[in-house]
Amino acid sequence: MPMVSIKGHQKTYKLDENEIIYHGLERQGETLPHGCLAGSCGACRIEILSGENELSPPSFIEQNTIEGVRTEMKKISPDIDHSKRKIRLACRAKIKGDIEIQKI
């Protein structure tokens, strides 16, 4: 079973293979920020610290939302290069292997 660790948390979470990250964490009592849970609002954004290749590829909707999130982040902190951050949406990304994430 794939494992999810969250930066700054002691606990790790076992998810089913191909499970959506948000649902797997919620099932175990870990609540992430969320809005639409459809991949359009970006409220459930997370940064992948390790294991990026252990996730399903982003869908068209998720990719568009991530680009919008990056644009907003650039407005808030223009001196930081956010293009290198591995941002995904927890409500859309399906897990295949172990990952470490950070809430953003």
Side-chain angles (χ1 to χ4, degrees), residues 28-94:
Q28 297 176 65
E30 182 63 41
T31 305
L32 296 174
H34 65 282
C36 68
L37 294 178
S40 297
C41 73
C44 66
R45 63 187 171 263
I46 55 175
E47 183 172 5
I48 309 302
L49 301 176
S50 67
E52 179 182 21
N53 294 330
E54 299 299 333
L55 297 173
S56 61
S59 67
F60 180 75
I61 291 171
E62 182 182 6
Q63 191 60 49
N64 282 344
T65 302
I66 290 168
E67 291 306 317
V69 166
R70 286 186 200 283
T71 299
E72 288 303 312
M73 293 172 94
K74 186 170 176 73
K75 288 179 186 176
I76 293 168
S77 50
D79 297 336
I80 298 173
D81 181 9
H82 296 287
S83 66
K84 305 267 189 268
R85 295 179 82 175
K86 299 168 187 150
I87 300 170
R88 293 296 303 267
L89 302 180
C91 76
R92 297 289 80 193
K94 293 181 181 178

